[in-house]
Amino acid sequence: MQNPDCDQLTIGGCEVNSRLFLGTGKYSADRIIPSVVAAAGAQVVTVALRRVDFDSPQDNILTSIPKDCILMPNTSGARNAAEAARIARLARAAGCGDWIKIEVIADNRYLLPDNLETLKATEILAAEGFIVLPYMSPDLSIARRLAAAGAAAVMPLGAPIGSNRGLKTKELIKILIEEIDRPIIVDAGIGRPSEAAEAMELGAAAVLVNTAVASATDPVGMAEAFGLAVKAGRKAFLAGAGAVRNQACASSPLTGFLQE
Amino acid sequence: MHVQINGKATEVEPGMTLAEFIAMKGLKPESVVIEHNGTILPRERWRGVALTSADQLQIVSFVGGG
């Protein structure tokens, strides 16, 4: 059992003090993001990169993200490894660090990642010194190759992006947690704090949540609930859950009954 | 003169530098990244680059995302 007092998550040489990673998309207004980040206790925060629309300029999202956060730009919009690498290089040129979430998607209905192109992008960008966190469909062979290619963590999906459907890929994620010598971060699909807690109980290193918080009636309240759930799940994992049995096993002594 | 900026033909005064274009659009330099003809240009070089009608620019910034 690990000592909970030394339960430090390290990714790409960075010590990360929160196991809840937060996305910044789909909020009704960017101005609530600081409160959401604070309520979640999140440190790693994702952003996307897009062309500036000169016809309707938007506020700079960076002004809504607390300065002590680690910024993890994603490569959303990339359809292949070359496009992901291009987006990653542009993101790094913004001067906000070396973290990159690789997201290569060629499927518009389910937004499922292209694992092969994701692997290629990981190879390219890890070699260029990025701290690479690939979003992937949970597959053991690809996860092993991602780790070998230099991925700092592996981020399997729980369910399609934005679906709030929960840990539909639980059995496959469990295998990655057992077999892959990298932090496994469940990204996408988690819709409820209980599902985040479940992922952490399984031994996930962290979870990344966006839609579940952003689409809640009270995003700040939901962010806090997720923060608590992630901590509870992690504590439960470290505490080691008892065995599951098919039949009852009495909790009270089976001797000294009054009728004896 | 027209320059391709973010996929659109955009009217730009001849001789205008990248730094001037960004300022004219009211953008903070630290909030955008520029790819000039396929090459990322560091901010300190924007003053020295005068736009031409053959240029292709991508000007990007961070937005909310998951």
Side-chain angles (χ1 to χ4, degrees), chain A residues 16 75-76 128 164 169 171 181 241:
Chain A
V16 178
T75 66
S76 62
E128 293 181 17
N164 283 347
T169 60
E171 296 302 322
D181 183 24

Side-chain angles (χ1 to χ4, degrees), chain A residues 52-66:
Chain A
V52 173
D53 181 355
F54 297 106
D55 297 328
S56 60
Q58 292 182 321
D59 290 340
N60 180 1
I61 185 81
L62 297 184
T63 60
S64 300
I65 296 174

Side-chain angles (χ1 to χ4, degrees), chain A residues 22-26 30 46-55 57-63 71 73-74 86 89-96 101 103 187 208 210, chain B residues 4-8 10 21-22 24-43 46 56-66:
Chain A
L22 208 59
T24 57
K26 298 196 259 194
D30 286 352
T46 64
V47 291
L49 196 75
R50 290 291 182 272
R51 285 172 161 172
V52 173
D53 181 355
F54 297 106
D55 297 328
Q58 292 182 321
D59 290 340
N60 180 1
I61 185 81
L62 297 184
T63 60
L71 212 61
N74 67 38
R86 183 186 185 195
R89 291 170 190 137
L90 284 164
R92 182 154 74 174
C96 298
K101 167 181 162 176
E103 186 177 327
D187 178 5
L208 198 166
N210 186 347
Chain B
Q4 283 292 322
I5 300 177
N6 288 353
K8 286 184 188 168
T10 306
F21 179 78
I22 293 299
M24 180 190 79
K25 289 292 181 186
L27 296 169
K28 291 182 180 163
E30 63 274 17
S31 71
V32 297
V33 176
I34 301 180
E35 193 187 71
H36 177 248
N37 300 331
T39 303
I40 297 168
L41 274 191
R43 287 179 198 116
W46 295 355
Q56 303 256 1
L57 292 181
Q58 298 288 345
I59 302 177
V60 298
S61 65
F62 287 130
V63 297

